[in-house]
């Protein structure tokens, strides 16, 4: 599939901002299932300095600074992406999950070692005691990894209400857990926390999703916005993606922008501003159009 | 209990602890060789003299303003730095072994640091468990591949050393982030060489200055621009930090500018220092802020101590940070368990200095051992968060031990068990004579072209109480100088005579960060306000004396008016004119309140506290003499607070002494301070404050006319309080007239206490401020001062003296004074806005939530 994605973020400030430093994760990644054909960044007012590099996790991160006073900042990323429907490995993931965890703890194979960093707590995903119990049902010893994670995904989808008014990016995971509601980011974080509590490596994936329903299909949640899901590591097969918000395995209609330990590692746009007063207004618009 | 002074034989009375290693005495009770000279000299001095020298040391330290802040101390900051006059002595032979061991360790840690932020081979090879890096809070992913360009990453390093019962020196902890204490070691040395000059000289002690020279070289060599005179700053978390006074001390000693995060800004990918309204490039940052807090953009977003964009500036190679951001990943007690194998692998050598035996719980067998032997071990976190301290298994109850075991089982990779070492003991001076105290030595290293240089000495700390196994300043320990003995006398090296190290002239006139300008300005204001308050209070106390003597109603009336005026100008309750509950109070109580009430903002003691605070925050920029006078101010303040229950005569005596001290402070500023920007802001603060006080005082005393006798007394008091009485009598005769009094204290350009004079000076100072970048901006201050000066000069004092028949007040005078006050306030606000810290500090953009409503 080929997509054209336009992702616009606009900030309007109460008072002029004299200087801002920003980081963006807005370029879709290249990997076996996906190729980013083009990616442009339009920033108004034009930044005095703009550079791109690979971050610690191999995602492209852009840095820019606007050094002239401004009351509005607008960042638009336009990307063309080719996705391939890869063979689903999820049901070949037959390794017992506890064995996968043991392999992770011991194996010095570069891929396993690389994955092990996703076992530990991270800035937005910290384990707490009650969590392991929630995940326990899906993880009886010896259960194949793919099946167990599928079960976990289904549970989260079933137990948690999708409620964009309930959480913000600052809502702690414990609160999401207690009230059983949240958005895609929360569900991904929750699944990641559960998996890590089992000693498994889980990472956060941010991106987009094509929401136009195919004839007879179901309209997917996450339209007009960025999306997020998670992936789990199988020591033999590699990373397997799961989308708990839609209770499905991401295929060629999920477009991956970046992955990291959690949202904090790969925030689409973050920044520090000087000035701006006490109030900021934010507007985000995402358009995902299939072009081929 | 016998005091030491009663028994001259210090050595004979020393109670050794059986089984423990004593630094001074061998197991037979004989004095160890390096201590021979010192112990005989100590005996010769005798306890009385030694005690006197100890007192002298404490006095010198207090004067130098060295403090150690304790976070949860109710007295807040500024616990005086405690120095024991008995140093730790180390012989040259033993030292050279320690030195080579430390050198090796620094080289090794440097290689590990480079590997962690580069290829991470050690992890791949299985020599370093990846948890120790990836699960350690000091590992900053954003800083991957942003290392320093030179041959070494680890610029400064410190090791905590301790000696076990067998006499072997062990490494207890590695400090790789921003090792603190080298400045305290230097301050200790300065004091010791003054209190025991001949003993110090004859002991052939290695000097410390060469170490600091090497530090300067090492930092200068990092300059990304390869400039002749790179700008180096010390980044401090600020006055609340526990070792702030050390940061200030080092900045002064090394000639670097002391800055906080807000003083720096990143533009065009480089770091700039906001100096008044200019931006000056910064090449090298010696940081005392924890790495994770240095950049709210890429590191901890909640940090208020950092500089947004700093990591990017480092990444671009436009600024060098020492130690590099992320270096605290090496401050990990679990690392110790793996160092021997890594040393073999990287250096092909065994570790020369042994490390306390450590068991990292991330390995099943080791965890089993730690859980099993908890009673005998010290349990540490691989990356303790602030406030988390090592736990001694032996000190825990059964229940506490079980809880700890559960915590370890839940996150085994975060815990490490370490052998509890019985630390050696060093004789330490106590009121009862010499007593053994547990000892830890922090040793400092800095890099140079061909390796590392170890400070020949260091910061020794001993426990306050004998049995305490924990030695850390946060739990209140005493420091010692460390004397490494040279085999032959050494030449004195000072930072100053070497032309290479002479600070450029610009260091003296160097940049003035907005925060420092702000504090200097307020230091000037509080100093002036305190001084004027003391003068007025003395005038009031003199009138109070008259009252007691003559019991005159006019005097009583005058005194109440004066007290109202004092209350008004110091903004303590009971302004004149309004309902006045304080008038009912006894005069005695009102005076005491104005002097002593610590809770009310405008009283004398609270002004003095503010003065202390402002001076503390700019102490790196103050001369030694100024610091000494400020230390006197603190002592006077304490004496004043202690005299609070005494009679008014005693208070008056205290005020007299205080006035002398405050006058010395202003005298120093006038006579011995370089007329640079620092002085400019200090003096503007004084001038502005004095101008506002005169305005407020006249307003409080003269706007409301009083009966003739009272008014005469008030005029005289006014002249007295403004130190203009003698001049007035000379020019106008003994009997004060309101118009001529106003002439003298408002207009007289030759009277250094008149309002007109203050405005003249302010105008002259404003002209000297750098402002060429933005002409319209300077205009604002110039216009404000021009406005009120002109108004004042056009004034007719005869008209001012007249009473408005409508409302019975001197309305013209009131109008003029109100406009003066408004102008002066506006001027102060404008200065604040233009030159001091930007109130619109950096803030985070609110992140857009992934997936808003559909």
């Amino acid at each position: 599939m080929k997509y054209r994605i336009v992702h616009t973020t606009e900030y309007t400030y109460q008072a002029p901002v004299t200087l801002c430093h920003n980081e963006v994760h807005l370029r879709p990644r290249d990997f076996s299932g996906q190729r980013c054909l083009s990616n442009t960044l339009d920033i108004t007012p034009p930044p005095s300095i703009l550079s791109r590099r690979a971050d610690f996790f191999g995602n492209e991160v852009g840095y820019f600074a606007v050094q002239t006073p401004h009351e509005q900042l607008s960042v638009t990323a336009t990307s063309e992406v080719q996705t391939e429907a890869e063979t689903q490995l999820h049901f070949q993931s037959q390794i017992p999950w506890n064995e996968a965890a043991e392999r992770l703890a011991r194996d010095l194979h570069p891929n396993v070692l690389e994955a092990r960093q996703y076992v530990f707590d991270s800035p937005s995903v910290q384990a707490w005691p009650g969590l392991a119990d929630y995940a326990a049902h899906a993880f009886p010893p010896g259960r194949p990894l793919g099946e167990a994670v599928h079960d976990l995904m289904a549970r989260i989808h079933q137990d948690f209400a999708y409620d964009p008014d309930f959480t913000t990016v600052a809502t702690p995971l414990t609160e999401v857990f207690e009230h059983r509601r949240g958005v895609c980011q929360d569900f991904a974080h929750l699944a990641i926390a559960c998996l890590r509590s089992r000693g498994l490596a889980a990472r956060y994936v941010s991106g987009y999703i094509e929401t136009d329903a195919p004839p007879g299909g179901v309209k997917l949640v996450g339209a007009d916005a960025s999306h997020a899901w998670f992936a789990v590591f199988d020591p033999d097969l590699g990373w397997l993606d799961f989308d708990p918000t839609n209770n499905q395995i991401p295929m060629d209609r999920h477009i991956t922008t970046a992955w990291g330990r959690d949202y904090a590692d790969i925030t689409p746009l973050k920044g520090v501003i000087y000035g701006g007063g006490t109030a900021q207004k934010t507007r985000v618009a995402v358009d995902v159009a299939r072009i081929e | 209990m016998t005091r030491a002074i009663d028994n001259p034989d210090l050595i004979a009375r020393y109670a050794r602890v059986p089984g423990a290693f004593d630094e001074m005495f061998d197991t037979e009770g004989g004095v160890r060789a390096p201590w021979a000279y010192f112990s005989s000299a100590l005996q010769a001095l005798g306890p009385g003299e030694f005690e006197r020298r100890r007192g002298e040391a404490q006095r010198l330290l207090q004067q130098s303003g060295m403090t150690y802040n304790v976070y949860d101390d109710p007295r807040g900051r500024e616990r005086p730095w405690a120095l024991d006059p008995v140093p730790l002595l180390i012989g040259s032979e033993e030292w050279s072994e320690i030195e080579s061991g430390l050198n090796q360790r620094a080289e090794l840690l440097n290689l590990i640091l480079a590997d962690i932020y580069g290829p991470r081979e050690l992890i791949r090879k299985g020599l370093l468990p990846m948890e120790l890096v990836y699960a350690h809070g000091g590992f900053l992913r954003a800083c991957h591949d942003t290392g320093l360009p030179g041959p070494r990453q680890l610029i400064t390093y410190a090791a905590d050393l301790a000696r076990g019962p067998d006499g072997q020196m062990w490494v207890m902890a590695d400090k790789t982030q921003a090792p603190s204490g080298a400045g305290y070691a230097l301050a200790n040395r300065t004091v010791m060489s003054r209190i025991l000059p001949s003993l110090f000289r004859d002991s052939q002690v290695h000097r410390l200055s060469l170490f600091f020279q090497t530090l300067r070289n090492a930092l200068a060599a990092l300059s990304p621009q390869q400039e002749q005179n790179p700008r180096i700053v010390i980044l401090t978390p600020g006055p609340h930090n526990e070792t702030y006074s050390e940061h200030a001390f080092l900045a002064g000693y090394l000639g670097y500018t002391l800055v906080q995060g807000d003083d720096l800004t990143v533009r065009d990918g480089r770091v700039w220092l906001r100096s008044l309204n200019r931006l000056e490039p910064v090449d090298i940052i010696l940081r005392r802020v924890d790495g994770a807090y240095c950049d709210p953009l890429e590191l901890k977003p909640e940090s208020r101590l950092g500089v947004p964009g700093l990591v990017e500036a480092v990444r671009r190679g436009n600024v060098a940070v020492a130690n590099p951001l992320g270096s605290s990943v090496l401050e990990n007690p679990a690392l110790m368990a793996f160092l021997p194998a890594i040393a073999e692998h990287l250096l092909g050598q065994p570790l020369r200095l042994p490390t306390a035996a450590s068991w990292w719980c991330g390995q099943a067998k080791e965890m089993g051992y730690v859980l099993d032997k908890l009673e005998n071990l010290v349990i540490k976190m691989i990356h303790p968060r602030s406030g988390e301290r090592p736990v001694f298994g032996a000190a825990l109850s059964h229940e506490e031990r079980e809880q700890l075991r559960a915590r370890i089982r839940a996150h085994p990779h975060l815990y490490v068990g370490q052998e509890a070492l019985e630390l050696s003991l060093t004789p330490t001076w106590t009121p009862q004579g010499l007593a053994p105290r547990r000892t830890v030595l922090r040793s400092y290293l800095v890099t140079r072209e061909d390796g590392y240089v170890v400070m020949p000495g260091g910061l020794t700390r001993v426990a306050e109480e004998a049995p305490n196994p924990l030695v850390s300043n946060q739990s209140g320990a005493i420091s010692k100088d460390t004397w490494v003995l040279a085999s032959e006398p050494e030449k004195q090296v000072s930072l100053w005579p070497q032309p290479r190290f002479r600070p450029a002239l610009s260091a003296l006139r160097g940049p003035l960060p907005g925060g420092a300008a702000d504090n200097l300005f307020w230091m000037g204001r509080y100093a002036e306000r305190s001084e004027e308050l003391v003068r007025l209070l003395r005038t009031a106390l003199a009138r109070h004396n008259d009252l007691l003597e003559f019991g005159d109603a006019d005097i009583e009336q005058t005194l109440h008016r004066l007290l109202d005026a004092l209350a008004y100008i110091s903004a303590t309750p009971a302004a004149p004119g309004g309902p006045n509950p304080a008038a009912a109070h006894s005069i005695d109580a009102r005076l005491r309140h104005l002097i002593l009430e610590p809770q009310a903002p405008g009283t004398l003691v609270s002004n003095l506290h503010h003065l202390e605070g402002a001076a503390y925050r700019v102490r790196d920029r103050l001369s030694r003499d100024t610091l000494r006078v400020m230390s006197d101010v603190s002592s006077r303040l304490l004496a004043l607070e202690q005299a609070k229950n005494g009679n008014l005569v005693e208070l008056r005596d205290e005020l007299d002494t205080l006035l002398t001290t405050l006058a010395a402070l202003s005298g120093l500023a006038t006579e011995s301070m370089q007329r640079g920007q620092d002085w400019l802001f200090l003096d503007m603060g004084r001038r502005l404050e004095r101008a506002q006080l005169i305005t407020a005082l006249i307003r409080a005393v003269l706007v409301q006319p009083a009966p003739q006798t009272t008014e005469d007394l008030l005029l005289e008091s006014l002249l007295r309080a403004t130190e203009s009485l003698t001049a007035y009598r000379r020019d106008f005769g003994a009997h004060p007239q309101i118009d001529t009094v106003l002439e003298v204290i408002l207009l007289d350009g030759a009277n250094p206490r008149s309002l007109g004079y203050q405005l003249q000076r302010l105008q002259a100072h404003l002209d000297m401020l750098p402002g060429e970048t933005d002409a319209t901006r300077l205009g604002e201050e110039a216009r404000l001062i021009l406005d009120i000066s002109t108004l004042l000069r056009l004034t007719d004092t005869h008209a001012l003296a007249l009473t408005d028949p409508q409302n019975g007040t001197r309305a013209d005078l009131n109008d003029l004074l109100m406009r003066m006050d408004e102008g002066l306030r506006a001027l102060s606000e404008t200065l604040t806005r233009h030159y001091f810290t930007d109130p619109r500090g950096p803030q985070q953009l609110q992140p857009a939530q992934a997936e808003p409503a559909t």
Side-chain angles (χ1 to χ4, degrees):
Chain A
M1 245 54 103
K2 193 167 167 188
Y3 295 99
R4 184 164 192 276
I5 303 145
V6 182
H7 183 167
T8 301
T9 312
E10 246 175 43
Y11 283 92
T12 309
Y13 308 113
Q14 189 189 38
V17 166
T18 52
L19 170 66
C20 72
H21 296 280
N22 302 78
E23 261 196 6
V24 293
H25 279 95
L26 290 172
R27 182 192 191 276
R29 272 189 87 124
D30 290 321
F31 57 97
S32 61
Q34 176 179 303
R35 218 147 47 87
C36 177
L37 306 171
S38 69
N39 172 259
T40 56
L41 268 184
D42 293 304
I43 301 163
T44 332
S48 313
I49 197 162
L50 168 67
S51 57
R52 297 164 178 250
R53 64 181 175 90
D55 73 4
F56 187 81
F57 307 94
N59 310 297
E60 188 194 271
V61 56
Y63 162 83
F64 69 88
V66 178
Q67 303 179 172
T68 46
H70 55 283
E71 289 181 44
Q72 201 171 46
L73 173 73
S74 155
V75 179
T76 301
T78 309
S79 313
E80 282 188 11
V81 181
Q82 179 84 50
T83 61
E84 307 283 342
E86 288 186 293
T87 323
Q88 277 198 26
L89 298 170
H90 296 66
F91 293 100
Q92 292 172 29
S93 178
Q94 292 296 331
I95 181 174
W97 71 267
N98 41 316
E99 205 182 304
E102 277 161 37
R103 285 271 300 281
L104 270 164
R106 243 170 287 292
D107 200 332
L108 285 184
H109 185 278
N111 290 348
V112 182
L113 214 46
E114 161 69 22
R116 195 145 109 207
Q117 61 175 310
Y118 298 97
V119 178
F120 314 127
D121 282 356
S122 55
S124 306
V125 179
Q126 318 254 331
W128 71 96
L131 188 72
D133 296 341
Y134 177 77
H137 306 286
F139 290 89
R143 190 175 196 188
L145 178 66
E147 193 184 308
V149 180
H150 214 284
D151 186 2
L152 175 70
M153 169 175 78
R155 259 167 216 275
I156 291 175
H157 182 73
Q158 186 190 321
D159 293 351
F160 286 76
Y162 180 84
D163 182 353
D165 298 325
F166 178 69
T167 56
T168 71
V169 288
T171 308
L173 207 44
T174 46
E175 212 165 295
V176 172
F177 185 69
E178 190 186 326
H179 296 274
R180 295 288 200 264
R181 45 188 59 234
V183 296
C184 63
Q185 177 188 316
D186 304 311
F187 304 153
H189 279 161
L190 189 75
I192 290 167
C194 290
L195 292 165
R196 290 179 184 169
S197 76
R198 304 274 114 190
L200 294 166
R203 72 189 182 192
Y204 180 93
V205 187
S206 78
Y208 310 99
I209 185 169
E210 185 200 14
T211 50
D212 288 340
V218 189
K219 179 166 164 65
L220 298 177
V221 173
D224 310 321
S226 49
H227 190 46
W229 57 97
F230 73 91
V232 69
F233 184 74
D234 177 313
D236 298 316
L237 303 175
W239 289 95
L240 309 171
D241 286 18
F242 293 84
D243 179 354
T245 310
N246 294 300
N247 193 26
Q248 62 165 236
I249 307 295
M251 296 271 289
D252 54 355
R253 293 170 63 204
H254 280 68
I255 299 120
T256 300
T257 305
W259 58 65
R261 292 169 300 163
D262 60 38
Y263 172 82
D265 280 337
I266 50 170
T267 311
L269 188 158
K270 66 177 175 178
V272 177
I273 56 173
Y274 288 84
T278 49
Q280 309 168 5
K281 261 200 303 208
T282 321
R283 192 180 72 84
V284 181
V286 172
D287 180 52
V288 179
R290 195 191 297 189
I291 47 181
E292 263 171 35
Chain B
M1 194 177 282
T2 346
R3 291 179 53 81
I5 303 180
D6 305 331
N7 186 337
D9 194 346
L10 289 169
I11 306 290
R13 281 178 44 81
Y14 181 72
R16 283 183 293 124
V17 176
F21 187 95
D22 194 290
E23 293 289 336
M24 188 165 169
F25 299 98
D26 60 29
T27 45
E28 310 302 313
V31 172
R32 294 182 193 276
W35 291 80
Y37 181 74
F38 184 85
S39 70
S40 61
L42 189 61
Q43 288 284 53
L45 275 177
E49 181 58 20
F50 202 67
E51 171 61 25
R52 196 186 66 73
R53 308 267 175 116
R54 188 203 61 80
E56 177 68 6
Q58 226 36 62
R59 195 182 63 78
L60 287 170
L61 274 175
Q62 199 185 345
Q63 279 186 351
S64 75
M66 271 321 230
T67 54
Y68 186 83
N69 297 338
V70 181
Y71 292 121
D72 45 7
D73 189 329
R75 271 206 57 115
R77 56 166 181 262
E78 298 179 54
R79 169 185 291 202
W81 181 249
L83 170 64
D84 178 64
V86 182
L88 173 69
L89 269 59
I90 301 178
S92 64
E93 261 174 54
E94 184 186 13
W95 183 255
S96 67
E97 270 176 46
I98 294 174
E99 210 172 16
S100 88
L102 286 171
N103 270 316
Q104 182 206 39
R105 200 173 174 94
E107 291 284 4
L108 180 62
L109 290 171
N110 172 58
L111 292 173
I112 298 175
L113 184 61
D115 180 62
I116 288 177
Y117 285 97
R120 288 188 283 278
E121 287 288 335
L122 292 170
I123 293 177
R124 245 181 297 249
K125 296 207 161 104
L127 288 159
L128 180 62
M130 65 92 68
E131 287 86 344
L132 294 191
V133 174
Y134 284 83
H136 189 278
F139 179 52
L140 305 180
R141 288 158 179 80
C143 300
H144 172 67
D145 256 346
T146 62
L148 293 166
R152 282 184 195 77
Q153 297 302 310
L154 193 61
I155 304 303
T156 64
Y157 161 62
D160 282 344
L161 301 173
R163 206 194 292 275
D166 60 352
Q168 172 71 50
M169 273 287 192
W170 297 73
V171 178
M172 308 297 290
D174 299 296
K175 301 288 170 191
T176 54
Q177 165 120 282
S180 67
Y184 288 119
L186 184 61
N188 283 352
R189 174 58 57 84
T190 311
V191 168
M192 288 297 287
S193 62
R194 280 182 65 181
I195 61 159
L196 298 169
S198 53
L199 176 52
F200 175 76
R201 197 178 50 243
D202 297 341
S203 297
Q204 301 186 2
V205 180
H206 272 291
R207 313 288 164 146
L208 303 184
S209 42
L210 191 65
F211 174 83
F212 290 94
Q213 254 182 44
T214 317
L215 172 63
R216 295 175 82 145
N217 286 347
L219 291 175
L222 299 176
S223 175
Q225 262 64 42
Q226 298 298 318
E227 277 176 25
Q228 282 300 106
N229 286 311
R231 168 151 296 126
I232 305 178
V233 298
I234 298 185
L235 178 63
T236 171
H240 295 294
N241 184 262
E242 50 191 342
T243 58
Y244 177 75
S245 76
E246 186 196 23
H247 310 166
F249 177 81
L250 280 176
Y253 181 74
L254 298 167
Y256 301 156
T257 307
L258 185 65
V259 299
Q260 297 183 39
D262 281 351
D263 296 324
L264 301 180
T265 182
V266 172
R267 277 180 180 260
D268 301 325
R270 9 181 353 173
V271 178
W272 304 83
L273 168 59
R274 279 187 244 257
S275 172
L276 302 183
N277 50 10
R278 293 192 309 275
L279 291 177
E280 311 221 7
V282 170
D283 304 299
I284 298 142
I285 297 173
L286 179 60
R287 71 178 168 92
R288 296 300 286 268
V289 173
D290 285 359
Y293 287 85
C294 280
D295 181 354
L297 178 68
E298 294 198 43
L299 306 171
K300 270 190 193 301
E302 68 271 25
S303 170
R304 314 286 301 168
L305 306 173
V307 189
L310 180 62
V311 175
E312 180 65 21
V314 169
R315 191 177 284 125
R316 287 168 183 258
N318 289 335
V319 69
V321 178
N323 283 340
L325 299 172
S327 60
S328 75
V329 69
L330 297 176
E331 292 190 359
N332 180 345
L335 193 58
M336 301 211 172
F338 301 90
L339 283 185
I342 297 176
E344 291 287 356
H345 174 76
L346 290 178
L347 305 173
Q349 299 167 349
L351 271 189
R352 290 200 193 109
L353 274 178
T355 294
S358 309
W359 294 268
W360 175 53
C361 300
Q363 301 148 291
K365 207 176 95 206
E366 280 75 3
M367 176 171 81
Y369 180 84
V370 170
L371 293 177
D372 207 32
K373 303 274 186 216
L374 210 55
E375 292 81 352
N376 308 328
L377 299 174
V378 187
I379 307 301
K380 297 180 174 175
M381 304 279 291
I382 64 166
H383 181 240
R385 286 174 292 254
S386 95
E388 278 173 341
R389 314 194 52 81
V391 176
F392 285 74
L396 299 180
S397 69
H398 177 75
E399 201 190 339
E400 285 168 333
R401 247 175 248 160
E402 279 315 304
Q403 285 165 356
L404 180 58
R405 285 195 177 100
R407 285 204 301 277
I408 294 175
R409 280 196 197 95
H411 294 283
H413 64 277
L414 299 183
Y415 291 88
V416 59
Q418 226 170 48
E419 184 182 19
L421 191 66
E422 194 188 348
L423 307 180
S424 70
L425 300 159
T426 311
T428 299
W429 188 248
T430 72
Q432 288 75 43
L434 290 180
R437 291 289 181 264
R438 301 225 181 269
T439 307
V440 169
L441 163 63
R442 182 169 291 182
S443 200
Y444 299 89
L445 289 86
V446 61
T447 182
R448 68 169 178 215
E449 295 84 359
D450 58 343
Y452 285 87
V453 170
V454 185
M455 178 195 283
L459 183 66
T460 299
R461 286 168 302 156
V462 293
E464 261 172 317
E465 303 298 330
N468 186 359
L470 250 188
V471 180
S472 157
N473 281 6
Q474 280 289 8
S475 54
I478 295 166
S479 76
K480 282 173 176 287
D481 194 9
T482 311
W483 290 6
V484 172
L485 305 182
S487 34
E488 56 194 58
E490 201 177 61
K491 266 200 264 161
Q492 170 83 41
V493 188
S494 156
L495 284 193
W496 302 108
Q498 317 285 61
R500 229 186 128 183
F501 303 112
R502 190 182 302 145
L505 200 56
S506 64
L508 295 170
R509 309 231 169 97
L512 176 61
D518 192 4
N519 280 304
L520 284 164
F521 180 73
W522 280 97
M523 185 181 163
R525 291 197 71 154
Y526 285 122
E528 183 64 25
R529 199 180 294 176
S530 303
E531 198 179 323
E532 294 298 327
L533 276 180
V534 175
R535 284 183 209 286
L536 278 165
L537 284 163
R538 281 164 86 234
T539 311
L541 281 165
R543 290 280 174 247
H544 184 247
N545 230 21
D546 296 346
L547 181 63
L548 294 179
E549 206 166 316
F550 307 111
D552 186 323
D554 286 330
I555 296 178
E556 188 171 356
Q557 172 79 3
T558 310
L559 189 50
H560 271 297
R561 285 290 289 268
L562 275 178
L563 291 175
D564 289 345
L566 263 163
Y568 173 66
I569 65 168
S570 63
T572 50
N580 192 350
H585 288 196
S586 79
I587 286 167
D588 187 290
R590 293 190 71 188
L591 274 164
R592 281 174 195 280
H593 178 86
L594 284 164
I595 299 172
L596 292 164
E597 177 52 49
Q599 301 303 326
T603 59
L604 180 60
V605 293
S606 70
N607 271 305
L608 289 169
H609 280 298
H610 284 303
L611 171 61
E612 272 186 320
Y616 177 75
R617 288 188 283 273
V618 285
R619 44 160 307 148
D620 56 305
R621 314 186 73 94
L622 302 178
S623 72
R624 269 174 192 232
D625 285 337
T626 309
L627 289 173
R628 192 155 35 229
V629 175
M630 276 313 301
S631 144
D632 287 349
V633 169
S634 299
S635 311
R636 304 278 32 112
L637 172 57
L638 205 63
L640 194 62
E641 285 168 335
Q642 278 163 356
K644 68 169 179 241
N645 295 321
N647 58 36
L648 285 180
V649 180
E650 281 165 5
L651 276 179
R652 194 177 161 183
D653 288 345
E654 284 300 335
L655 291 183
D656 284 344
T657 332
L658 178 62
L659 186 62
T660 315
T661 313
L662 289 170
L665 191 64
S666 62
L668 267 178
T670 316
E671 290 305 322
S672 8
M673 206 169 157
Q674 192 123 13
R675 294 299 193 258
Q677 294 167 345
D678 287 36
W679 176 80
L680 218 50
F681 277 93
L682 186 74
D683 204 56
M684 281 202 294
R686 275 196 180 269
R687 299 297 166 191
L688 199 86
E689 186 66 34
R690 192 178 288 180
Q692 279 193 331
L693 283 173
I694 296 167
T695 309
L697 185 61
I698 300 176
R699 208 168 155 216
V701 172
L702 296 181
V703 166
Q704 202 66 250
Q708 191 59 49
T709 348
T710 312
E711 188 142 303
D712 286 352
L713 284 169
L714 283 172
L715 287 173
E716 196 197 303
S717 305
L718 201 56
L719 287 170
R720 201 189 286 278
T722 53
E723 299 248 299
S724 311
L725 187 59
T726 321
Y728 183 88
R729 284 187 176 146
R730 190 185 55 227
D731 292 348
F732 300 102
H735 191 70
Q737 298 288 331
I738 181 160
D739 55 345
T740 43
V741 168
L742 288 175
E743 187 81 36
V744 167
I745 59 179
L746 277 182
L747 301 183
D748 187 353
N751 175 8
R753 296 202 167 260
S754 75
L755 177 61
Y757 185 83
Q758 315 314 316
L759 298 187
Q760 272 176 28
R761 299 307 308 152
L762 280 169
Q763 201 156 14
H765 290 356
L766 288 172
D767 286 344
M768 286 171 70
L769 283 183
E772 61 285 345
T773 48
D774 188 348
T776 52
R777 192 198 243 191
L778 192 71
E780 197 176 340
E781 287 121 33
R783 189 168 44 70
L784 282 167
I785 195 84
L786 190 67
D787 255 12
I788 51 177
S789 316
T790 312
L791 187 66
L792 187 66
R793 264 180 272 165
L794 294 175
T795 295
D796 171 11
T797 48
H798 294 289
L800 292 181
L802 297 177
T803 307
D804 183 344
Q806 296 277 306
N807 55 16
T809 64
R810 294 193 172 99
D812 283 358
L813 181 61
N814 194 38
D815 272 0
L816 174 76
L817 296 172
M818 270 173 67
R819 291 181 63 181
M820 290 291 139
D821 190 53
E822 275 165 25
L824 291 165
R825 275 172 207 278
L827 181 61
S828 180
E829 278 159 23
T830 314
L831 285 170
T832 304
R833 206 164 58 244
H834 287 169
Y835 294 104
F836 306 155
T837 37
D838 190 347
R840 305 157 303 165
Q843 55 174 321
Q844 290 284 333
L845 271 183
Q846 289 156 10
Q849 175 144 8
E851 200 181 43
T854 48

